[in-house]
Amino acid sequence: MPRPISATIHTAALASNLAVARRHAPKSKIWAVVKANAYGHGVARAFPGLRATDGFGLLDLEEAVKLRELGWAGPILLLEGFFRPTDIDVIDRYSLTTGVHCDEQLRMLEMARLSKPVNIQLKMNSGMNRLGYTPERFRAAWERARAVQGIGQITLMTHFSDADGPRGISHQLEAFERGAEGIAGARSLANSAATLWHAAAHFDWVRPGIILYGGSPSGKTADIATTGLKPAMTLASELIAVQAVPAGHSVGYGSVFSATGPMRIGIVACGYADGYPRVAPEGTPVIVDGVVTRIVGRVSMDMLTVDLTPVPNAGIGAPVELWGTKLPIDDVAAACGTIGYELMCAVAPRVPMRAE
Ligand SMILES: *Cc1c(COP(=O)(O)O)cnc(C)c1O
């Protein structure tokens, strides 16, 4: 028997979440973002649920090639573009669309030998200050790209820093409009947060990622409560032991938790080597036998320990949900001081994962 931990990918939830994205931006085409191995879900496992998209956005050439091997003939966008001249051969062979955010990339495209024109998304730095041309330099970059023989369609793209927060997008939208003024071409601006909450940014293409997996762009479950988004991943395990701990005795490494009275502690086959965050503090929610309880003691490499007080009958083999359809991943993430994105991306390769 393998250890009783596994992750299940819910294909119907992916399809339903894609439909939610479409309902929010009905006039836009969708780049379904599947970078980081589909946010940890697995590109091949996520593909069947997302195939009603208009295109896929990702970073790694290997993932792009995998999508072609799965039979996807539609658009694939390299969100960060490419890094070496040899990457352009793969872009050409597999008919990928590529982001272009700097002169080095334009120079490589000018030098490249292509069998057909490559479509690009020219990236503007509208205020995030990671990638892209400033609004002031954008037109010159566009003129230069337009003059490159091997470049086909040019889409104008930018990325938001605060679409999920109080600052919002207006300062970046204003910068984008200024830099892109008078330049023809499709526009691609919105991430998940802007897809849900900023219709002014929808334009021709939206680029949702986290909402396809049922996570909240803000990291707060309450913010997506009325959207109908469904968790696409359940991380589950079982109790592999139960301890009756007397009052005053401690649990786990560092003895960071001590029982104030006699209590039953469940030992769960899930630890930080499975991708569960070691920083999860006492009180982090976990579901045992359908009942919400809490982590006590320090998360170790292969195990974590839970308070069985609310589930007195739970014994060895009792089902445990770490996050998923009953326990929102963002609730676990919030307890750990992070966001659902990080937890889903971090599920370790040793965890068996299958789609249903
Ligand atoms: C990751 C990414 C997205 C998707 O972001 P979400 O917040 O997951 O929707 C969109 N565009 C770009 C350029 C990205 O890198």
Side-chain angles (χ1 to χ4, degrees), residues 33 35 39 79 123 157 159 191-193 207-210 341:
V33 178
K35 63 187 177 188
Y39 289 47
L79 293 160
K123 185 153 190 177
M157 171 191 187
H159 193 57
N191 56 3
S192 288
R207 303 188 308 269
I210 192 69
Y341 290 74

Side-chain angles (χ1 to χ4, degrees), residues 305-324:
T305 39
V306 298
D307 179 3
L308 293 183
T309 308
V311 260
N313 296 323
I316 290 181
V320 175
E321 179 174 310
L322 286 316
W323 62 67

Side-chain angles (χ1 to χ4, degrees), residues 20-32:
V20 169
R22 231 184 245 300
R23 275 203 296 284
H24 278 83
K27 301 202 182 93
S28 309
K29 292 204 234 178
I30 295 181
W31 292 111

Side-chain angles (χ1 to χ4, degrees), residues 204-287:
D204 305 280
W205 288 85
V206 294
R207 303 188 308 269
I210 192 69
I211 57 174
L212 303 178
Y213 310 99
S216 172
S218 64
K220 297 191 191 89
T221 302
D223 289 347
I224 57 166
T226 59
T227 55
L229 293 169
K230 297 174 182 153
M233 176 197 290
T234 297
L235 181 64
S237 188
E238 292 178 6
L239 296 188
I240 58 169
V242 174
Q243 299 296 335
V245 177
H249 286 238
S250 64
V251 175
Y253 287 118
S255 304
V256 295
F257 175 80
S258 291
T260 49
M263 69 186 292
R264 292 173 78 245
I265 296 289
I267 318 301
V268 180
C270 177
Y272 62 77
D274 299 301
Y276 197 93
R278 183 177 174 279
V279 295
E282 180 182 326
T284 300
V286 54
I287 292 184

